[in-house]
Amino acid sequence: MSNEKSSRAIWSGVIRRYAAHLPVDAATSIVTLHEGNTPLVRAPRLAAAIGGKFDLHLKCEGLNPTGSFKDRGMTLAVTKARERGAKVLVCASTGNTSASAAAYAARAGLRCVVLIPEGKIALGKLAQALMCGAMTLQVRGNFDTALALVRQLGETGEVEIVNSINPVRIEGQKTAAFEICDALGDAPDYHFLPVGNAGNITAYWKGYSEYHAAGECDTLPRMMGFQAAGAAPIVDGAPVAHPETVAAAIRIGNPASWQSANAAIAASSGHIGKVTDAAILEAYKLAAATEGIFVEPASAVALAGVIQCQRAGLIDDGTIVVVTLTGHGLKDPDTAVQHAAVQPVTVEPDLAAVKAAMGI
Ligand SMILES: *Cc1c(COP(=O)(O)O)cnc(C)c1O
């Protein structure tokens, strides 16, 4: 096989694949961990379990290199930061941005400092940032406090912010919409996703809109955003001072991309709703139990949104529904073990005991 053929056959990240739609050129030196190209999995058992007569597809973003969709934006943010000669990357994070920033900074040979809310980060995410060598500052406050500090650091001109307030992050994240259109042959009818800082819903809508304008898809989806009931500023129309939810990745009270999230919902005739922690945990368990797809609690918020809309009769039969599952279940093993329907059973090391436990 010629080099040209082999390089075409091998996936080498979202920037190379979608360069024509991104702010890069042939001279750009790309920082990539080959993110993107994540599976879009049809989920008939899950659809049936919730009584849906629609065609349900799950975009499994937990299969990105650091286990969440944040990698799509981070490859471009770190590429551009290095191109500009930045030496220090900083971000505030509920966990996944810090895991991604730490990994891409290591890949680029740049220094990384992450600000996380003390004691509020899922174990896997903390492990990722530490292993990749990021300076990890646990702020005595919530995500919103940490982001405010990061904005102030940005004003010093000494650091590069890699939160989604950096517009380049949105550019990278819009590639997920391109992949979905490429996989389905067109845009879906509905696109469900969790909303925290609201960068991702902004990015998806930008992606679908640009693909549509470029003639790469004929239709546009309704954007269906969901927040956790204890952290639902966009739904409730006011910032939340003390956001609380089991979906730690979206425990955010004052989203940076609030306006553009509302714009996406309005322009797409979409919907923004909220779901309780009980509904989130129900959806969390159902995805794993019916389809073998283990996601983190924040990802289950989107599925809980599908269930809520299905029960309210808001999803038409025969339509194509895509749900972005934003992060991998292994990120947060504590929540999984605490809430799993099944718990380990200890048995004596003999066949009779094993058979008795199995009920055979
Ligand atoms: C970041 C994140 C979200 C929220 O995305 P926003 O762009 O902040 O709205 C949802 N789920 C997971 C797993 C995340 O890491």
Side-chain angles (χ1 to χ4, degrees):
M1 202 191 278
S2 75
N3 280 339
E4 197 184 298
K5 265 191 185 157
S6 66
S7 69
R8 252 192 279 135
I10 295 168
W11 180 269
S12 48
V14 297
I15 297 179
R16 288 201 177 85
R17 173 64 183 82
Y18 293 110
H21 301 273
L22 296 171
V24 292
D25 56 41
T28 304
S29 166
I30 297 172
V31 182
T32 180
L33 286 163
H34 296 205
E35 60 295 313
N37 197 26
T38 55
L40 184 67
V41 179
R42 187 169 256 153
R45 282 173 49 81
L46 178 54
I50 65 176
K53 296 194 175 63
F54 43 79
D55 194 6
L56 181 62
H57 298 256
L58 308 175
K59 182 66 169 162
C60 298
E61 290 287 278
L63 279 86
N64 275 299
T66 77
S68 86
F69 74 84
K70 300 299 198 299
D71 295 344
R72 294 179 183 275
M74 206 54 74
T75 180
L76 197 59
V78 177
T79 292
K80 299 303 271 187
R82 191 171 69 175
E83 194 172 72
R84 277 196 288 271
K87 297 282 179 284
V88 186
L89 309 181
V90 297
C91 66
S93 181
T94 57
N96 282 330
T97 297
S98 60
S100 187
Y104 284 80
R107 185 86 165 148
L110 298 176
R111 194 169 167 223
C112 182
V113 180
V114 304
L115 278 71
I116 57 174
E118 186 187 26
K120 298 288 189 184
I121 298 295
L123 190 62
K125 304 175 189 181
L126 182 61
Q128 289 177 289
L130 298 176
M131 279 300 290
C132 294
M135 171 178 264
T136 302
L137 302 177
Q138 306 200 69
V139 179
R140 294 206 175 93
N142 61 26
F143 170 83
D144 303 288
T145 316
L147 183 59
L149 285 166
V150 163
R151 286 184 194 271
Q152 289 172 45
L153 275 173
E155 282 162 18
T156 66
E158 291 173 60
V159 301
E160 179 84 7
I161 299 176
V162 295
N163 279 104
S164 60
I165 56 174
N166 179 339
V168 158
R169 278 271 312 276
I170 307 289
E171 290 298 309
Q173 283 172 211
K174 76 186 181 187
T175 59
F178 299 164
E179 288 179 17
I180 290 166
C181 293
D182 290 346
L184 295 174
D186 207 341
D189 296 301
Y190 301 89
H191 189 117
F192 285 78
L193 77 175
V195 175
N197 217 20
N200 214 26
I201 191 168
T202 303
Y204 268 98
W205 182 242
K206 190 166 199 286
Y208 283 124
S209 302
E210 288 182 10
Y211 235 33
H212 191 251
E216 299 282 355
C217 60
D218 295 331
T219 62
L220 288 165
R222 289 171 179 239
M223 298 305 299
M224 312 291 280
F226 280 83
Q227 301 199 288
I234 301 180
V235 182
D236 297 340
V240 176
H242 302 289
E244 264 314 325
T245 170
V246 68
I250 58 167
R251 193 184 280 142
I252 294 175
N254 193 10
S257 298
W258 191 322
Q259 302 308 329
S260 51
N262 275 334
I265 290 152
S268 70
S269 304
H271 176 74
I272 181 108
K274 58 181 175 180
V275 288
T276 63
D277 277 8
I280 294 166
L281 291 170
E282 183 199 340
Y284 176 58
K285 291 187 271 188
L286 199 60
T290 59
E291 301 286 3
I293 296 178
F294 177 31
V295 300
E296 64 173 285
S299 308
V301 168
L303 272 179
V306 174
I307 295 170
Q308 188 186 86
C309 288
Q310 156 66 14
R311 287 183 184 151
L314 294 177
I315 307 175
D316 294 333
D317 289 356
T319 52
I320 294 177
V321 176
V322 169
V323 182
T324 298
L325 299 177
T326 46
H328 202 285
L330 289 173
K331 293 273 191 179
D332 189 356
D334 297 316
T335 303
V337 172
Q338 194 183 333
H339 293 280
V342 171
Q343 292 296 327
V345 176
T346 304
V347 293
E348 294 306 319
D350 67 72
L351 183 62
V354 171
K355 283 177 72 180
M358 290 170 70
I360 61 172

